[in-house]
Amino acid sequence: MKTIGFIGLGLIGGSIAKAIRKHHPDYHILAYDQKRETLAAAVSANIIDGVCEAKDERFRTCDYIFLCAPVEFNIQYLEYLKTVVGSQCIVTDVGSVKGIIHKEVEKLGMEDSFIGGHPMAGSEKTGFEHANDRLIENAYYIVTPGGEIPLDKLTEFTEFIASLGAIPMVLTAEEHDFITAGVSHLPHIIASALVNLVNMLDNDLEYMKTIAAGGFRDITRIASSSPVMWQQICLENQENISNVLDDFIRMLIQIRCSVDNREAENLYQMFASSRDYRDSIDVVDNGPIRKAYVLYLDIADEAGGIATIATILAMDKISIKNIGIIHNREFEEGVLKIEFYEEDAMERGAALLKKRNYIVYER
């Protein structure tokens, strides 16, 4: 049995705590959060075993301590943890930027007891009430070890992360911050800029807002994320974000030139190469665990259509992870997209729906 401490029980911290409770029910979980109602909810749900104060002697008993508060609080908290953690304890965090906290770890001489972490999962929603034990399942969990971390401790930690259903990937803090600037931070900036642009271009009758279809909503969903969190990320990973923005701006200028000059071949190549690379991301064998179990089916455009399908699946005890209508030109009509937690559930669902004469597409 291990003892796990949490500083912060928001969406990520709460989800990791719930995953630990699910996969290691015998582990002892302690937590501190500034919101007492969050701690009360975690106790009520049997997710944590003990409520701690900000500075609590019980943290001395922990094998792992997860820093899941805002980065500036985590950095300040390291100073206290240095006086608390024993030689057996590993301190880790879940922040989206790694360089800034690793610098503080080095400054405090804690490199032999700190392993940075960043689960590549999340939601536009925040707070413990939206946490769930599947959030990090099948998601890459970036691990950035301190420069003096013993190999056996790093191995044990990555095995622990894998036991929660995540896929650990070890990188340096520098590699992490550059990669996430491109695949996470820049997309959030683009989504926010695109929403603000449409808001600016729209007329008083808000026609753009009214007809904004699935494609626009899909690519701008992340613009609903916490503005405070993304403000901090931009300030903390400023250099990398600025560099990838430079590359993106140059690419936009090239695209504008192709549009202005009616360069048909360049435009085709842009869309073709992006399609091919995007499709390669969805290859199911790109990790040790298949990441998505999805099927699509035609559905009558009538009230109760989705509810009928959900009921059919529920009657056979098939759990649905996500469900929604998709409108794009890959399908002639709008189709229903259903995502399942497991491959077996997807296959059973497909067979059941085909038996009910639904047209099912499996990809």
Side-chain angles (χ1 to χ4, degrees):
M1 187 183 76
K2 290 185 181 297
T3 298
I4 315 293
F6 282 87
I7 311 300
L9 274 182
L11 176 72
I12 301 298
S15 294
I16 294 173
K18 289 183 176 183
I20 293 172
R21 179 60 76 218
K22 174 183 177 181
H23 294 282
H24 304 284
D26 59 326
Y27 281 16
H28 192 67
I29 303 177
L30 305 171
Y32 164 73
D33 192 280
Q34 289 182 330
K35 297 180 179 178
R36 307 305 290 185
E37 59 271 25
T38 293
L39 294 171
V43 170
S44 177
N46 194 35
I47 301 303
I48 65 174
D49 301 291
V51 171
C52 294
E53 300 300 323
K55 296 184 178 180
D56 200 301
E57 285 297 306
R58 285 173 291 174
F59 285 129
R60 293 184 184 275
T61 66
C62 291
D63 297 281
Y64 297 122
I65 296 178
F66 283 82
L67 296 173
C68 305
V71 173
E72 60 271 20
F73 184 86
N74 289 341
I75 290 174
Q76 294 171 11
Y77 207 79
L78 281 172
E79 217 167 320
Y80 165 69
L81 288 180
K82 182 181 179 181
T83 68
V84 172
V85 298
S87 59
Q88 89 290 350
C89 181
I90 290 294
V91 179
T92 186
D93 78 318
V94 296
S96 297
V97 181
K98 302 265 66 84
I100 186 170
I101 196 165
H102 272 280
K103 288 178 181 176
E104 188 64 20
V105 165
E106 186 177 354
K107 177 181 171 184
L108 293 171
M110 297 178 65
E111 289 184 287
D112 61 345
S113 60
F114 181 83
I115 299 176
H118 179 204
M120 301 298 291
S123 167
E124 67 275 17
K125 298 176 180 178
T126 60
F128 181 79
E129 62 271 25
H130 297 295
N132 70 79
D133 59 20
R134 292 181 182 268
L135 186 71
I136 65 171
E137 188 175 279
N138 297 345
Y140 283 103
Y141 195 116
I142 310 302
V143 175
T144 58
E148 298 176 15
I149 201 77
L151 182 58
D152 59 331
K153 286 189 175 183
L154 176 59
T155 301
E156 183 181 345
F157 181 73
T158 56
E159 289 175 351
F160 172 60
I161 294 302
S163 75
L164 304 180
I167 307 169
M169 176 185 289
V170 179
L171 299 173
T172 66
E174 293 76 18
E175 288 173 326
H176 169 276
D177 288 354
F178 175 71
I179 291 169
T180 54
V183 301
S184 177
H185 305 166
L186 180 63
H188 275 82
I189 292 171
I190 293 171
S192 295
L194 182 55
V195 170
N196 288 333
L197 175 66
V198 169
N199 185 25
M200 180 182 73
L201 296 177
D202 210 356
N203 60 22
D204 292 340
L205 296 175
E206 295 189 325
Y207 287 147
M208 284 187 170
K209 182 179 181 179
T210 301
I211 67 172
F216 181 83
R217 289 196 297 270
D218 286 345
I219 65 174
T220 60
R221 175 185 57 82
I222 53 178
S224 295
S225 300
S226 165
V228 174
M229 180 179 76
W230 284 100
Q231 173 202 51
Q232 292 303 308
I233 286 172
C234 287
L235 296 176
E236 292 154 5
N237 202 23
Q238 173 266 327
E239 184 175 352
N240 285 305
I241 292 174
S242 180
N243 288 337
V244 297
L245 273 171
D246 280 344
D247 290 335
F248 184 65
I249 291 167
R250 281 192 288 270
M251 183 174 288
L252 285 177
I253 292 171
Q254 291 173 351
I255 294 168
R256 187 182 66 183
C257 288
S258 295
V259 171
D260 289 346
N261 297 321
R262 303 177 63 84
E263 295 170 347
E265 181 60 25
N266 287 348
L267 292 170
Y268 174 84
Q269 287 300 326
M270 176 190 72
F271 290 116
S273 62
S274 65
R275 177 202 60 195
D276 293 344
Y277 187 73
R278 175 61 181 82
D279 287 349
S280 73
I281 296 174
D282 283 337
V283 174
V284 297
D285 293 326
N286 66 347
I289 305 174
R290 180 173 175 170
K291 296 182 67 177
Y293 305 108
V294 178
L295 58 82
Y296 303 84
L297 66 151
D298 286 331
I299 180 172
D301 186 11
E302 60 186 19
I306 295 178
T308 299
I309 290 169
T311 301
I312 291 171
L313 297 173
M315 288 176 65
D316 207 55
K317 295 182 170 56
I318 298 174
S319 296
I320 297 172
K321 182 177 182 181
N322 204 355
I323 188 168
I325 294 286
I326 294 212
H327 294 279
N328 63 35
R329 286 301 164 214
E330 185 176 351
F331 301 99
E332 292 182 7
E333 303 285 344
V335 297
L336 188 69
K337 175 183 176 182
I338 309 175
E339 185 175 359
F340 301 86
Y341 287 108
E342 299 168 346
E343 184 174 16
D344 176 66
M346 179 188 72
E347 292 173 349
R348 286 167 50 217
L352 189 61
L353 292 168
K354 287 177 182 176
K355 190 176 178 180
R356 297 292 188 104
N357 296 319
Y358 286 97
I359 298 174
V360 178
Y361 307 92
E362 299 175 69
R363 299 190 309 153

